[in-house]
């Protein structure tokens, strides 16, 4: 069982992506989980010389084991743009979801592989 929390995510969209990732790996999401998957995200509007709305986003994801030791950690920041602020925000969430399902998943698999190689 894994407890999931996402700070800076008032809509709960990132928490849903993390929960889906956990269940996709065959684990269950539970508030009393042995492991803790914590994410912190932030969005900040940026003015650029273009005709789009631009947002810088930052995402930090940490999977802590039952002793509180960070088993897998990942940090990423990018910029997403759209024709409106809501479109840029949607793009930012889609980009963060991709980072979780691709990059964080790859780091998690490396973590598991380390146990198999011992």
């Amino acid at each position: 069982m894994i407890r999931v929390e996402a700070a800076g995510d008032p809509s709960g969209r990132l928490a849903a992506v993390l929960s889906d990732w956990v269940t996709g790996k065959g684990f269950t999401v539970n508030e009393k989980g042995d492991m803790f998957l914590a994410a912190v995200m932030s969005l900040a509007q940026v003015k650029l010389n273009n005709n789009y709305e631009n947002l810088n986003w930052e995402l930090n994801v940490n999977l802590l084991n039952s002793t509180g030791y960070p088993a897998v950690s990942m940090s990423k920041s990018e910029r997403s743009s759209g024709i409106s602020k809501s479109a840029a925000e949607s793009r930012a969430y889609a980009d963060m979801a991709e980072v979780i399902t691709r990059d964080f998943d790859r780091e998690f698999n490396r973590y598991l592989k380390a146990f198999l190689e011992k």
Side-chain angles (χ1 to χ4, degrees):
M1 292 188 289
I2 299 177
R3 182 174 56 142
V4 174
E5 288 184 17
D9 179 30
S11 66
R13 291 165 66 180
L14 187 63
V17 170
L18 293 167
S19 294
D20 287 347
W21 179 83
V22 167
T23 57
K25 286 296 186 184
F27 298 99
T28 57
V29 175
N30 189 302
E31 288 185 21
K32 298 180 183 182
D34 298 323
M35 297 181 82
F36 179 43
L37 181 58
V40 177
M41 62 156 282
S42 64
L43 296 172
Q45 194 163 8
V46 177
K47 289 289 184 189
L48 298 175
N49 193 16
N50 62 21
N51 294 325
Y52 299 98
E53 295 294 327
N54 305 283
L55 294 174
N56 280 342
W57 59 264
E58 186 172 338
L59 174 66
N60 296 296
V61 184
N62 295 288
L63 179 64
L64 307 175
N65 66 19
S66 60
T67 63
Y69 180 79
V72 182
S73 295
M74 186 206 66
S75 206
K76 181 90 173 181
S77 60
E78 291 283 334
R79 180 175 37 237
S80 299
S81 300
I83 58 173
S84 66
K85 186 177 178 186
S86 64
E89 189 173 300
S90 290
R91 181 75 250 155
Y93 274 100
D95 291 346
M96 286 185 275
E98 184 178 335
V99 165
I100 291 165
T101 58
R102 184 191 63 218
D103 301 343
F104 186 76
D105 188 68
R106 182 175 46 239
E107 293 301 316
F108 180 75
N109 288 333
R110 283 186 190 147
Y111 169 72
L112 292 180
K113 188 176 178 183
F115 288 107
L116 298 174
E117 293 177 346
K118 289 183 179 182

